[in-house]
Amino acid sequence: MDLGSHRNRSSSCEIKTSEEEKIIHLVVYIPIFIMGLPFNVLALYIFCGKIKRWTESTIYMSNLALADILLLFSLPFKMLNQDSGWPFGKAFCSFVESIYFVNMYASIFIITSISIDRYLAIIHPLKARDLRSPQNTLIICFIIWVFVWLGSIPVYQFHDTSGSNYTSNFSIACFHRFSDKSWNPGIIIFVELMGFVIPLTIMTFCSVQIIRKLLQRQNDIPGNYQMCIRIITVNLATFICSFVPVHLGIFLQFLVRQDIIDQSYCSERKAISLFVQSAMCIANINCCLDAICYYFVAKEFREQGSRTRKSLASIFSVIEL
């Protein structure tokens, strides 16, 4: 969602969608759509149709693929909006915009749940026997989906076409110029803390603890523990690179909309707007990174499986993503 594009209250610093932003969107979104959609559809087909025995990891990955497909569904409409305006009306515009929130935060919560699942299986294996099960994983994923869909409801009220920030033609407002009430401090604090800071803290803690445990057991798993550590490190780095910029952009744009960064800093406000656009593109690339990770990890574990000790099978099963 283009959180940065809006028209300020005053004409002294008018921020519109620039040609640079349009080029960034097309250059990034077209490859994401072409690469991400077939990979994620195929991954979902494999997880749901080809794997006979579902594990905690396959359930999480299938839900992650579904979340990515939802975001990819919105990209053609977003590119159409860049080219010729929005012809489908406010209701459908809000629905497509809400998919951004649903995908982003469903992905964040699912990835965080995967980290917790790994942590329990490796650090607390006895407790994991009681807590980890495919049934419990399905319940967790169901709760995540209900939470993010309910959390997306306010998006339908974020466009106020009667305000001075909008023209009478709504077709140019979709994906742009959220009303002032959408930048309510309570909403932004809730989104930043619950949607990012807390999940990032949990994931970092779990990843560090798992890596420490694997380093302690490196003599028991010669040659293999490094691959496990590499996968966990890459997952954490991907999470940080994908979601830190966009949430930083949301915070900076909040400062702009609250006039904490006032209109005398017009060039800075325009730079923040462009940064938000770029950060959203970076976050969307996560769809392709997830898909690549599915196949990379699956291949590695098939090759390593026959050489892995039976006693360590549970460790590898929870580091499949």
Side-chain angles (χ1 to χ4, degrees):
M1 187 177 303
D2 290 339
L3 301 171
S5 298
H6 68 282
R7 190 188 303 268
N8 287 315
R9 298 181 182 90
S10 169
S11 60
S12 61
C13 185
E14 187 176 1
I15 301 177
K16 299 180 179 179
T17 303
S18 65
E19 290 299 322
E20 291 83 358
E21 293 172 3
K22 294 179 180 179
I23 293 173
I24 290 173
H25 291 161
L26 294 177
V27 168
V28 174
Y29 289 151
I30 291 176
I32 288 177
F33 184 79
I34 293 174
M35 294 175 58
L37 186 61
F39 279 134
N40 280 284
V41 170
L42 181 59
L44 190 62
Y45 170 73
I46 292 173
F47 293 142
C48 296
K50 292 298 183 180
I51 297 178
K52 296 181 180 180
R53 180 178 175 273
W54 275 25
T55 64
E56 293 82 3
S57 295
T58 55
I59 293 172
Y60 280 128
M61 286 191 288
S62 61
N63 279 271
L64 191 58
L66 178 60
D68 290 338
I69 290 172
L70 283 176
L71 182 137
L72 291 164
F73 164 79
S74 68
L75 294 187
F77 297 100
K78 192 167 183 5
M79 288 184 285
L80 174 65
N81 182 67
Q82 289 291 328
D83 182 58
S84 57
W86 186 259
F88 300 114
K90 178 182 176 182
F92 189 68
C93 166
S94 296
F95 170 72
V96 176
E97 287 176 335
S98 71
I99 291 177
Y100 263 85
F101 283 108
V102 169
N103 165 265
M104 179 181 298
Y105 294 105
S107 297
I108 288 174
F109 293 140
I110 290 171
I111 293 171
T112 304
S113 298
I114 292 172
S115 295
I116 296 172
D117 185 69
R118 291 173 176 171
Y119 173 82
L120 290 174
I122 296 174
I123 308 299
H124 303 289
L126 296 179
K127 292 182 180 180
R129 294 177 182 176
D130 297 327
L131 297 176
R132 295 179 71 244
S133 70
Q135 292 77 13
N136 289 342
T137 302
L138 285 171
I139 293 173
I140 292 171
C141 290
F142 176 77
I143 293 173
I144 289 173
W145 283 112
V146 171
F147 181 74
V148 295
W149 276 111
L150 291 177
S152 71
I153 290 177
V155 175
Y156 292 84
Q157 305 299 321
F158 280 0
H159 285 293
D160 182 8
T161 56
S162 63
S164 61
N165 287 342
Y166 295 90
T167 65
S168 60
N169 183 5
F170 181 77
S171 65
I172 67 170
C174 190
F175 293 101
H176 301 282
R177 299 195 299 276
F178 277 9
S179 63
D180 290 339
K181 64 183 178 182
S182 67
W183 297 98
N184 180 280
I187 294 177
I188 300 303
I189 292 173
F190 179 81
V191 168
E192 293 281 282
L193 288 179
M194 289 296 298
F196 177 66
V197 174
I198 293 176
L200 176 62
T201 302
I202 293 173
M203 187 172 179
T204 302
F205 171 81
C206 292
S207 299
V208 170
Q209 293 300 312
I210 292 171
I211 291 173
R212 289 180 59 187
K213 185 69 172 181
L214 291 176
L215 288 174
Q216 292 172 1
R217 300 186 62 180
Q218 60 181 292
N219 293 329
D220 299 328
I221 45 176
N224 291 323
Y225 80 97
Q226 291 182 348
M227 184 187 69
C228 299
I229 293 174
R230 189 177 304 117
I231 291 172
I232 294 171
T233 304
V234 168
N235 289 162
L236 180 60
T238 300
F239 184 89
I240 292 172
C241 293
S242 296
F243 299 118
V244 166
V246 66
H247 286 88
L248 175 61
I250 290 174
F251 176 71
L252 292 175
Q253 192 62 30
F254 167 74
L255 298 181
V256 169
R257 295 303 293 266
Q258 296 296 316
D259 284 331
I260 296 174
I261 300 177
D262 63 44
Q263 295 183 30
S264 63
Y265 295 94
C266 189
S267 61
E268 285 79 4
R269 292 165 73 104
K270 291 180 179 179
I272 290 173
S273 177
L274 182 60
F275 174 76
V276 173
Q277 309 302 317
S278 303
M280 291 302 301
C281 292
I282 292 172
N284 295 340
I285 293 174
N286 189 60
C287 293
C288 294
L289 297 178
D290 288 340
I292 293 172
C293 191
Y294 302 146
Y295 301 105
F296 170 77
V297 173
K299 178 181 178 181
E300 289 293 322
F301 276 89
R302 283 197 301 270
E303 294 175 350
Q304 295 290 337
S306 61
R307 299 192 295 271
T308 303
R309 297 180 183 181
K310 184 177 180 180
S311 61
L312 297 173
S314 60
I315 293 181
F316 286 98
S317 68
V318 297
I319 312 179
E320 289 177 345
L321 183 59

